[in-house]
C-alpha cells in the first residue's frame, strides 16, 4: 500500500521549454502532497507544499511563477517548470500523505530527473 | 546549529555486520521520527516511523529514539549488499506538515 507514482522518470529538453511532472497517489487519497528538489549527494530540499483545492505554499527562495503547482484532485498534483534553464536541471521528487491523518508519514515517488540542455 | 545533523559517511561494512546509523536534532518539539532508504536515482522509501522514545523493530531493522538526548538511531542486523544505499533520517513536529531531513548517510555493504 501507499504507492506514489511519478511521471516522467526522466526528461531531457531544450532551454526555454516548460516541463510538467505528475505525481499520483495510486492507492490512497492525499490531501497534501509535497515537492522536493535534490542535487547530487545532497539531501532533499522542500520546494512547496501542495494542498488539494488550494494554492500551494512555497518555501523561501522558491519562485512560484517558475515552479507552478496544481493539486486539482486528491490523487494528483503536478509541478510545471516554466521556461526551464540549465540551472533547473535536478532530481525532482514528490511525496504524498494520506488524507485525514495529519501525522502519518510521507510516501515518495521515484523522482524525475530533469536535464535542460 | 542545524535542526538535524547526520554524518554523511560514507560507511563501508562487510556483509553480515551490524550497522548503526545516527542523527541528532536540536528542537525538543520534534515528535515524529522516520528513516528512509534511498537507492541511487530513486525516491526515498519509508523504512521506519516512530513517535515515542524506545525501540521499534521490523525484521532486521531497529529504530531507536532517545528524546532526552535528542538522538535517533537505525540499526541494521545481518547487513546485506542489497542494503547498500543512502539512509535519511527525517523528523517532524506535532503541528507542522513538513519533514526535516538529515543529509543522509551512504552505506556500502560488501560481499
Amino acid at each position: 500500500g501507499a504507492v506514489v507514482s511519478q511521471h516522467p522518470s526522466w526528461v531531457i529538453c531544450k532551454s526555454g521549454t516548460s516541463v510538467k511532472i505528475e505525481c499520483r497517489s495510486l492507492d490512497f487519497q492525499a490531501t497534501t502532497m509535497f515537492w522536493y528538489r535534490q542535487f547530487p549527494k545532497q539531501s532533499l530540499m522542500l520546494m512547496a507544499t501542495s494542498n488539494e483545492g488550494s494554492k500551494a505554499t512555497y518555501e523561501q527562495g522558491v519562485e512560484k511563477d517558475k515552479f507552478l503547482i496544481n493539486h486539482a484532485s486528491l490523487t494528483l498534483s503536478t509541478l510545471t517548470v516554466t521556461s526551464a534553464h540549465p540551472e533547473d536541471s535536478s532530481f525532482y521528487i514528490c511525496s504524498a500523505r494520506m488524507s485525514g491523518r495529519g501525522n502519518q508519514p510521507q510516501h515518495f515517488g521515484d523522482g524525475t530527473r530533469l536535464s535542460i540542455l | 546549529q542545524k535542526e538535524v545533523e547526520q554524518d554523511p559517511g560514507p560507511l563501508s561494512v562487510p556483509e553480515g555486520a551490524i550497522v548503526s546509523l545516527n542523527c541528532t536534532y536540536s528542537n525538543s518539539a520534534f515528535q515524529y521520527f522516520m528513516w528512509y532508504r534511498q537507492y541511487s536515482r530513486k525516491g526515498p522509501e519509508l523504512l521506519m516511523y516512530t513517535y515515542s522514545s524506545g525501540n521499534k523493530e521490523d525484521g532486521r531493522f531497529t529504530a531507536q529514539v532517545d528524546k532526552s538526548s535528542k538522538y535517533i538511531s537505525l540499526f541494521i542486523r545481518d547487513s546485506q549488499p542489497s542494503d547498500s544505499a543512502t539512509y535519511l533520517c527525517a523528523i517532524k513536529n506535532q503541528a507542522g506538515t513538513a519533514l526535516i531531513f538529515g543529509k543522509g548517510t551512504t552505506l556500502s555493504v560488501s560481499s
Side-chain angles (χ1 to χ4, degrees):
Chain A
V3 177
V4 176
S5 174
Q6 194 171 334
H7 178 80
S9 58
W10 191 23
V11 179
I12 302 175
C13 58
K14 294 181 179 180
S15 185
T17 306
S18 292
V19 178
K20 180 185 282 189
I21 303 169
E22 292 187 348
C23 180
R24 294 180 185 273
S25 56
L26 297 186
D27 52 357
F28 65 98
Q29 292 185 330
T31 306
T32 306
M33 290 185 172
F34 304 85
W35 288 96
Y36 294 83
R37 187 172 179 174
Q38 188 177 33
F39 291 104
K41 299 189 185 297
Q42 298 291 318
S43 191
L44 285 76
M45 182 190 78
L46 179 66
M47 298 175 65
T49 301
S50 167
N51 291 296
E52 186 265 338
S54 64
K55 290 184 178 180
T57 302
Y58 290 81
E59 295 299 301
Q60 190 174 10
V62 178
E63 299 176 60
K64 61 181 180 181
D65 295 329
K66 174 77 170 175
F67 299 99
L68 300 178
I69 292 172
N70 184 280
H71 192 161
S73 78
L74 287 172
T75 59
L76 173 65
S77 176
T78 60
L79 168 68
T80 301
V81 184
T82 61
S83 187
H85 293 284
E87 59 266 28
D88 298 322
S89 299
S90 190
F91 192 48
Y92 292 87
I93 310 175
C94 72
S95 71
R97 194 181 66 202
M98 288 185 185
S99 298
R101 300 182 179 187
N103 293 314
Q104 285 297 306
Q106 296 175 28
H107 297 275
F108 286 82
D110 268 344
T112 297
R113 187 161 302 279
L114 177 61
S115 297
I116 309 298
L117 305 177
Chain B
Q1 182 185 10
K2 293 184 180 178
E3 290 188 288
V4 182
E5 298 274 6
Q6 183 176 10
D7 186 342
L11 181 62
S12 296
V13 301
E15 183 175 357
I18 297 174
V19 176
S20 173
L21 305 166
N22 312 293
C23 287
T24 58
Y25 61 96
S26 57
N27 190 336
S28 58
F30 294 126
Q31 297 187 20
Y32 300 90
F33 310 94
M34 286 139 276
W35 285 95
Y36 288 87
R37 177 176 63 194
Q38 186 177 23
Y39 292 111
S40 181
R41 299 174 183 259
K42 292 287 188 180
E45 172 194 7
L46 180 67
L47 285 177
M48 301 291 281
Y49 172 58
T50 184
Y51 51 86
S52 59
S53 283
N55 294 349
K56 181 177 182 179
E57 189 174 320
D58 184 359
R60 295 186 294 112
F61 299 92
T62 299
Q64 188 175 81
V65 175
D66 182 347
K67 289 188 177 182
S68 62
S69 301
K70 302 189 187 68
Y71 192 86
I72 61 174
S73 300
L74 178 70
F75 298 98
I76 307 174
R77 291 188 302 279
D78 187 25
S79 56
Q80 303 294 310
S82 59
D83 294 328
S84 299
T86 297
Y87 291 80
L88 297 151
C89 65
I91 57 176
K92 192 178 84 68
N93 62 30
Q94 174 74 22
T97 57
L99 294 179
I100 300 172
F101 282 91
K103 283 191 172 182
T105 300
T106 301
L107 171 67
S108 176
V109 181
S110 56
S111 56

